[in-house]
Amino acid sequence: MESDLGEHAEKSNIPFVERPPAEALIIEGQALFGKLVQEINRRMIEGIEYEKILDYVFDSLNLLIPYDRIGIAVVDNDIKTVKLSWVRSKIPIRHLGQNYSAPLKGSSLSKLLETGEPRIINDLVTYATENPDSSSTKLILQDGIRSNLAFPLKANNKPVGIVFFSSAKPYTYDHNHIDVFHSIADELAVVVEQGRLKHFFSENSARAQTLRKVLHDLRAPLSVIQGYLDISADENWYRVLDPEAQKIFDNLRRNTQYMLQLIGDLSEFNQLQRELDSLNINAVDPIEFSKEMAQIGKVLAIHKDISFSADIRDLPTIAHFDADRIRRVLENLFTNAVKFSKRGSSISFGVRSDKTRITFAVLDQGQGIPLQEHSKLFQEFGKTSTRPTEGEGSTGLGLAIAKKIVEQHGGKISVTSMPGEGSTFSFWLPL
């Protein structure tokens, strides 16, 4: 071939320079990578599915990196679990297939993600002998793989996954293959992150839709039951029932009301999860808003003979927040303060501001909450050992909803409490 090229150069008066094979390979590789990166970007812009882009990579990259199999594993948001989300192979996959997952803690992959450095294992048989606890190594050996190149992927400087190149032959990989892959790592990391986020949101959406249907199906029959129980309480035959029978009816009414409250809270929490960006933020007069909330607090407290005071001062004439949502937060804090306080005690409501934020605080003289249980307070269904003083119902979702609303505003909610010393729940919002 070289003589043919020399003759062509001679005829066309173009000087022929014999190019070393290594240099020719580099230039060829650069051209292929340029085309590959360009095509990946084009497909991402067009919104082509994650799996189809990876299929294109599998079909194209073997000109530059040897492999019999490529696998993509993604990490969860907490970087605690890794899951094989996509895999293609030239040889049968019988043991280590798609959706295989494993905890990262204590594994070699955890170190891989921490350091960001690729890893070559050129003799998986020996590696399995030296690491007998590695179940994934045993499985991939059963699939006929003998060497492996693992490359961590990062997007926005955060680990998102690992790409595995695997060969049925031992001693397939060296550092030249790592250098080759560096050229495409950023594009592939973006592809993996897009696929990971798409899966996350579609999974959440399906879960939320199922929950909405379940809540809807539960609410109707419970409302009917509550209606009959309420009607029965006004009937003459109910009044002549013996005390034990009336007690059963009262328990049924109370539990039905609790279940309807729980369904309402679940519906609201589910709605908040879907409407993270739907806050109706407007200019609010914080003085008038706080006075209105103080009146609501007094009404809630008076039913339990609890005194309610408000201290509203140093507020600007305008603040910006979603008044309906923040009203929901304060009503929840007022209700909890009343629920967990004894008759004859007092509740204080304070509102302050500085140049950057407005702070709301609700102080009670209730039972207080052990320090080790504070972390439960703002979790979904988080309940502590402290119980309402008169058996009032509690779903364990109110504070989780409050936290979600406050954080949607860019603020923060917190608690200060000790057993026997009451509790102070406060939150701030940016002005």
Side-chain angles (χ1 to χ4, degrees), residues 404-416:
K404 181 71 69 176
I405 292 171
V406 170
E407 290 180 349
Q408 282 178 327
H409 282 79
K412 186 176 182 181
I413 190 169
S414 59
V415 60
T416 303

Side-chain angles (χ1 to χ4, degrees), residues 272-283:
L272 285 171
Q273 297 279 47
R274 293 188 295 120
E275 296 180 358
L276 291 177
D277 300 318
S278 65
L279 291 177
N280 185 23
I281 294 181
N282 289 304

Side-chain angles (χ1 to χ4, degrees), residues 79 113 153-160 189:
I79 316 181
L113 291 168
L153 300 173
K154 283 188 174 184
N156 298 319
N157 207 31
K158 178 185 175 182
V160 296

Side-chain angles (χ1 to χ4, degrees), residues 30-48:
Q30 288 174 342
L32 286 170
F33 267 121
K35 181 182 177 183
L36 189 61
V37 169
Q38 186 179 17
E39 185 62 20
I40 289 173
N41 287 329
R42 183 188 70 78
R43 293 180 183 224
M44 280 194 291
I45 290 168
E46 291 182 0
I48 292 175

